[in-house]
Amino acid sequence: MGRTSDAKEKLLDVAFQLIWDNSYGGVSVDQICERAKVNKGSFYYFYGTKADLAVAAYEDHWKAKQPEMDRLFWPQVAPLERLSKWCDYVYQGQKEKAERYGRVCGCPYASIGAELATQEDKIRLKAEELMARNTRYLESAIVDASREGLVAVENPKAAAQQVYAFVLGTVLRAKIQNNVEVLRNLEPTVMAIIGARRAVPA
């Protein structure tokens, strides 16, 4: 078995990337172990099943992503600017990955959630949880924008869910069309959904 100090981290990183780049069903435990250069004994030492590894890998990815989300949605940033920067963050993230792999990979949480929603409940629940965490950031910005009279929103939580659904759907369209430029102009529609009363400063 590989060193305990790094075998687990290698499995987490490789599993997330392989599943996101391909699909959960298209990636085997053998492939994960081979890419991570970790033997199967190490895999089963840490994880009972591939689903257990997937859940842990997606949580690990969120922990790495969270500081960036905290920075984007820092309360000292104007609320509409937070949403504007998030739209660009979504576009740039998908663009960088498309340039690296030659194709649009889509949302990692939605992809695995949609693939396994009727097969692996623990993965469905993890995907749902991670998507809810993203939505709460949007809701916080919309609440602040509403408090400042910048948007016409009666229910910030519902508005955040509508914004997230729109962006998620557009990410899916970009993946199907393999065209990241579909995501270039998310902001105008996001602002329209929440009834923004003024333009976001350039």
Side-chain angles (χ1 to χ4, degrees), residues 139-168:
E139 183 181 351
S140 69
I142 294 171
V143 166
D144 289 347
S146 180
R147 186 179 297 118
E148 294 178 24
L150 301 175
V151 297
V153 168
E154 293 184 1
N155 186 332
K157 183 174 183 178
Q161 291 171 341
Q162 290 169 1
V163 167
Y164 193 71
F166 159 68
V167 172
L168 201 60

Side-chain angles (χ1 to χ4, degrees), residues 38-59:
V38 171
N39 63 40
K40 266 191 173 181
S42 294
F43 178 94
Y44 289 111
Y45 176 80
F46 295 114
Y47 305 103
T49 66
K50 185 172 70 168
D52 292 330
L53 172 59
V55 168
Y58 274 64
E59 180 63 31

Side-chain angles (χ1 to χ4, degrees), residues 79-81 83-84 141-142 145-146 148-153 159 163 187-201:
L80 294 185
E81 187 178 349
L83 295 171
S84 176
I142 294 171
S146 180
E148 294 178 24
L150 301 175
V151 297
V153 168
V163 167
E187 181 185 322
T189 303
V190 167
M191 295 301 166
I193 290 171
I194 62 176
R197 301 185 189 279
R198 66 175 179 82
V200 178

Side-chain angles (χ1 to χ4, degrees), residues 2-21:
R3 289 190 300 120
T4 302
S5 60
D6 62 7
K8 187 174 185 178
E9 290 183 1
K10 287 180 179 178
L11 287 168
L12 289 171
D13 183 57
V14 166
F16 180 84
Q17 294 301 330
L18 279 177
I19 292 169
W20 189 10
D21 298 344

